[in-house]
Amino acid sequence: MHLQTFRLRAVAFVAGVALLAFSGWANADPPSRVARLGYASGAVSFSPAGETDWDPATINRPLGSGDRLWTDQGARAEIQIGGASVRMNGATSVVVLNLDDRITQLQLTQGTLNVNVRRLAPNQVVEVDTPNLAFTLRKPGAYRIAVDPDGNATDIIVRKGQGEAYGEGAAYVVDARQPYRFMGTGLREYEYLSAPQLDEFDRWASSRDRGYDSSPSARYVSPDVVGYQDLDANGTWRVEPNYGNVWVPNRVATGWAPYRDGHWTWIDPWGWTWVDDAPWGFAVSHYGRWAHMRGTWVWVPGPVRAPAYYAPALVVFVGGNNFQLTISSGNVGGVAWFPLAPREVYRPSYPVSRGYFEQINRSNTVVNTTVINNTYNTYNTTNVTNVIYANRVVPGAVIAVPVTTFVHSQPVSKAAVRVSREQLARAAVANVATVAPTERSVRGTGARGERGEPRGQQRGEGPPERVFERPVVARTAPPAAHAGFAAQREQLATKPGHPLDEAGRKGLKPAATAAPAPVVNVVAPTHVAPPTVRPPPAVPAARKEDARGKSDDRKGTPTPLPAARPPEQRGQPRERDHEVAPPPPSRPIVAMPAPAVVPHVAPPAATRPPEQRGRPEQRRNGEERGQSVAPPPPPAQAAPREERNGNRPRPAASRPGDQDNERKRGDDNRR
């Protein structure tokens, strides 16, 4: 009897664990953070995840995994991601390969990025994947990563901080001591770069950074709130007895209310998302709460010390399938909403776990835990009952538009319809707008062919053909590519307004019209520890021709060859006897000298990627291929006597005596 009871309890326990595991898998939480397009000048183009069309980018558009950006020549853009800012120079391509609570993974196949990392949580990393290498940024600092227009070389300049470069079978630490240019994918071909002076792009990025460093708003909000620095010039902070520090916008129109100037768009995995027109509108639309006090709207941020959770729109919807509005042409279907007030619970329209539900509310307002728990038990119910919302009865707080305006991402303020109090009192309150999206909803207000250009944006020609199709080297395997809206259309129509859960999304097959998946070559398993060594220094050489990036692997153990001096620097003034020879900025491709292997980084033999072969003229007889390498920093020593003759250094092939050296090397090989 006791044995049978024990078996029944064991079966029940296993079933419960399986149920919890399935529930957690089916309702996988979305990321708690997103990126934001916070600045754009010139022609900046955008393509949503899984889509092939390119449209003018829209400021304040939330960015997530799979989204793509392109800046035309002369254009600039800024992507904001919590504690980091990524600036794009002209003619630059970026794909957000992955963005979650742990990693920001970007693909750069052409152009220049200026990345400023102000803060990183202990478990967070920024990774930039290029055609030549994967570069991870694990410390706050200032970084510049550039890929040439053909995708053949990547420049890494660390002005402050420290990063890690990963190639095929090699990895090492890069810091501010030496900039590099890498060719190929094995970190074997490289050039030293002189530390460049700040150019116009760098100065612009630095001026943007100063706005963060001196922001008064940083004292009142969580550092995870994206876009808080834009509050400084567009409003004032004051103290309210009921809420503490609140922010009041300046220069808003008479009768203005939150979530009025902007449009709605559909963004996976959150669903209907508000995109505000105001440059300061991102932070106040996706974090905190709005309160109406003495005829004025004030924004109440969440706790300063809590990690802020992003929400697509902190509103409550009014109406339903039968909600009607009266316009000049007659009665039409409508959608209405109003902002949540402080201490009111946000009910996501997308599936989330209890832990996520608690955190997204605690991080954006001060709310009772019992209220949160009681609400979670019923949050999957679309209609909300027995809840009194403070802003529902505020004059002008409820914004209503026809369904066509809502679903086509058209400007809300131009189409807003006044609704009587009696009609609002009779209408149901819901946590979701029960409207199925269309392709126009996904592309947003920047889509071509509807209403002309978005305000303040220019239309570019789009990226060059196939620039986004170049393969890149990655340290971390990104998630599966987005299947595109066409693959989801049928399922989204069956449950209007609700995005697909994780189970439904995994079963999708990419539509024929979906954008091709990025070509990513992962060079090392994700569980391998990062490198801990810097490039080894060069040592004096017996022969100066050994200093030119050759490796000696004949005994099976990669050993750095001695070098008499760094590769010659072209086009530089002669050096004085007492001066140190600077590293060369640019020179023909050379084979990289092989320092000590980083054994804990290289993948195991069974999964090691094909070893990159150097060019035949870059290897000596008997040398092995495919060793892990790291470029040595240039040695500090006096310039060679032959370069002090008052003339610019000649190319290596044309220097006096080189022919004799070639003949001597030939004799050595024959021996």
Side-chain angles (χ1 to χ4, degrees):
M1 182 65 179
H2 291 291
L3 180 59
Q4 184 177 5
T5 302
F6 175 80
R7 288 176 177 175
L8 290 175
R9 289 179 178 177
V11 170
F13 174 79
V14 172
V17 171
L19 181 61
L20 288 174
F22 175 81
S23 176
W25 171 78
N27 296 330
D29 293 331
S32 66
R33 60 179 188 153
V34 296
R36 169 210 184 195
L37 180 61
Y39 176 92
S41 67
V44 181
S45 302
F46 169 74
S47 180
E51 306 303 313
T52 56
D53 293 324
W54 289 89
D55 300 303
T58 304
I59 296 298
N60 285 334
R61 166 86 187 207
L63 304 174
S65 299
D67 289 340
R68 301 183 292 172
L69 283 171
W70 165 258
T71 53
D72 278 6
Q73 192 70 41
R76 287 175 181 166
E78 178 178 290
I79 305 171
Q80 300 165 359
I81 316 165
S85 298
V86 180
R87 280 87 185 211
M88 302 171 59
N89 206 358
T92 298
S93 64
V94 165
V95 179
V96 183
L97 290 178
N98 192 9
L99 179 57
D100 57 25
D101 297 348
R102 187 190 66 85
I103 189 171
T104 301
Q105 186 178 12
L106 306 177
Q107 171 184 292
L108 174 66
T109 53
Q110 175 180 319
T112 303
L113 296 183
N114 196 311
V115 184
N116 182 272
V117 181
R118 299 181 302 279
R119 181 183 54 83
L120 277 176
N123 63 333
Q124 288 181 347
V125 64
V126 178
E127 177 177 325
V128 180
D129 299 332
T130 78
N132 308 103
L133 54 85
F135 188 62
T136 62
L137 292 61
R138 295 185 182 270
K139 291 186 177 181
Y143 306 83
R144 177 167 170 145
I145 305 104
V147 176
D148 70 5
D150 296 325
N152 294 327
T154 298
D155 294 355
I156 301 294
I157 300 171
V158 180
R159 291 198 166 93
K160 179 183 177 182
Q162 189 180 85
E164 301 158 1
Y166 292 88
E168 293 179 349
Y172 56 88
V173 174
V174 178
D175 56 26
R177 296 187 302 173
Q178 176 62 59
Y180 294 99
R181 173 173 296 155
F182 296 96
M183 292 73 73
T185 58
L187 303 183
R188 292 169 178 81
E189 298 174 282
Y190 75 102
E191 296 171 354
Y192 293 125
L193 298 178
S194 295
Q197 297 295 322
L198 298 180
D199 60 15
E200 184 181 355
F201 176 57
D202 296 320
R203 289 190 291 271
W204 168 76
S206 297
S207 68
R208 298 284 298 177
D209 289 331
R210 287 192 291 271
Y212 288 93
D213 298 337
S214 60
S215 173
S217 298
R219 300 194 296 265
Y220 308 114
V221 302
S222 167
D224 295 322
V225 172
V226 177
Y228 66 79
Q229 75 285 353
D230 289 320
L231 304 179
D232 299 331
N234 297 283
T236 56
W237 289 91
R238 73 187 191 198
V239 178
E240 288 290 343
N242 291 334
Y243 305 121
N245 295 308
V246 301
W247 181 83
V248 185
N250 296 337
R251 299 183 298 274
V252 294
T254 302
W256 175 87
Y259 301 98
R260 180 182 178 89
D261 294 337
H263 65 276
W264 291 92
T265 189
W266 183 269
I267 300 178
D268 273 338
W270 298 277
W272 288 116
T273 300
W274 176 257
V275 180
D276 205 271
D277 287 344
W280 46 265
F282 193 91
V284 299
S285 299
H286 303 293
Y287 308 92
R289 299 286 193 272
W290 281 97
H292 193 261
M293 306 187 66
R294 300 183 296 278
T296 301
W297 287 102
V298 301
W299 180 66
V300 185
V304 175
R305 293 178 176 82
Y309 271 51
Y310 162 86
L314 292 159
V315 302
V316 178
F317 289 96
V318 178
N321 295 329
N322 299 321
F323 186 67
Q324 296 286 309
L325 299 175
T326 302
I327 60 176
S328 58
S329 60
N331 291 337
V332 295
V335 182
W337 60 91
F338 59 86
L340 282 166
R343 304 185 181 97
E344 293 178 352
V345 176
Y346 169 64
R347 297 157 53 96
S349 62
Y350 45 92
V352 298
S353 66
R354 180 182 291 273
Y356 180 98
F357 189 88
E358 293 177 356
Q359 288 299 322
I360 197 171
N361 280 287
R362 289 176 179 170
S363 68
N364 284 303
T365 190
V366 178
V367 60
N368 186 277
T369 303
T370 302
V371 175
I372 294 177
N373 292 334
N374 291 340
T375 306
Y376 178 78
N377 294 332
T378 60
Y379 100 94
N380 283 319
T381 303
T382 299
N383 291 334
V384 181
T385 59
N386 300 324
V387 178
I388 299 175
Y389 291 103
N391 290 333
R392 186 180 183 184
V393 296
V394 174
V398 179
I399 311 298
V401 296
V403 170
T404 53
T405 299
F406 186 91
V407 76
H408 290 164
S409 296
Q410 295 174 349
V412 164
S413 59
K414 295 181 179 180
V417 178
R418 185 179 297 275
V419 182
S420 66
R421 288 188 177 183
E422 293 76 12
Q423 185 178 2
L424 291 176
R426 295 192 303 267
V429 178
N431 68 325
V432 60
T434 55
V435 180
T438 66
E439 181 184 355
R440 183 69 175 76
S441 309
V442 175
R443 294 171 61 187
T445 192
R448 303 173 187 266
E450 288 251 349
R451 298 180 319 280
E453 307 300 338
R455 185 173 59 189
Q457 297 298 303
Q458 300 179 22
R459 188 183 301 283
E461 298 178 355
E465 188 177 1
R466 294 185 298 276
V467 67
F468 282 88
E469 299 176 8
R470 293 172 180 166
V472 295
V473 177
R475 164 66 169 155
T476 307
H482 197 283
F485 172 73
Q488 302 183 53
R489 187 195 306 268
E490 185 176 347
Q491 293 189 54
L492 293 174
T494 61
K495 199 174 181 181
H498 293 273
L500 301 184
D501 58 19
E502 187 68 13
R505 194 173 287 108
K506 283 186 175 180
L508 294 176
K509 294 183 178 179
T513 58
V519 182
V520 178
N521 299 319
V522 181
V523 297
T526 57
H527 65 272
V528 174
T532 58
V533 296
R534 294 184 177 89
V539 296
R543 298 185 309 172
K544 62 185 178 183
E545 57 264 25
D546 289 337
R548 300 183 181 176
K550 297 181 180 180
S551 60
D552 188 357
D553 301 335
R554 285 168 290 187
K555 295 182 180 180
T557 302
T559 304
L561 278 178
R565 53 183 171 85
E568 291 82 4
Q569 185 174 4
R570 295 184 178 183
Q572 297 296 324
R574 61 181 179 180
E575 301 292 334
R576 303 294 182 185
D577 290 353
H578 63 279
E579 291 178 336
V580 176
S586 178
R587 56 168 290 122
I589 296 176
V590 295
M592 178 170 294
V597 175
V598 187
H600 59 286
V601 174
T607 60
R608 188 184 303 274
E611 296 168 340
Q612 175 156 346
R613 301 181 179 181
R615 296 186 302 180
E617 63 271 24
Q618 296 171 340
R619 296 193 305 270
R620 296 181 304 186
N621 295 337
E623 290 179 344
E624 296 182 1
R625 307 180 182 125
Q627 300 295 334
S628 299
V629 296
Q637 49 184 292
R641 181 72 61 181
E642 64 184 24
E643 295 184 5
R644 301 174 194 149
N645 57 7
N647 298 321
R648 294 179 180 269
R650 301 180 184 178
S654 63
R655 292 178 184 273
D658 278 2
Q659 294 180 355
D660 294 338
N661 291 336
E662 292 295 333
R663 286 194 296 270
K664 182 178 180 181
R665 283 195 293 270
D667 294 340
D668 292 342
N669 290 336
R670 285 192 294 272
R671 290 199 208 59

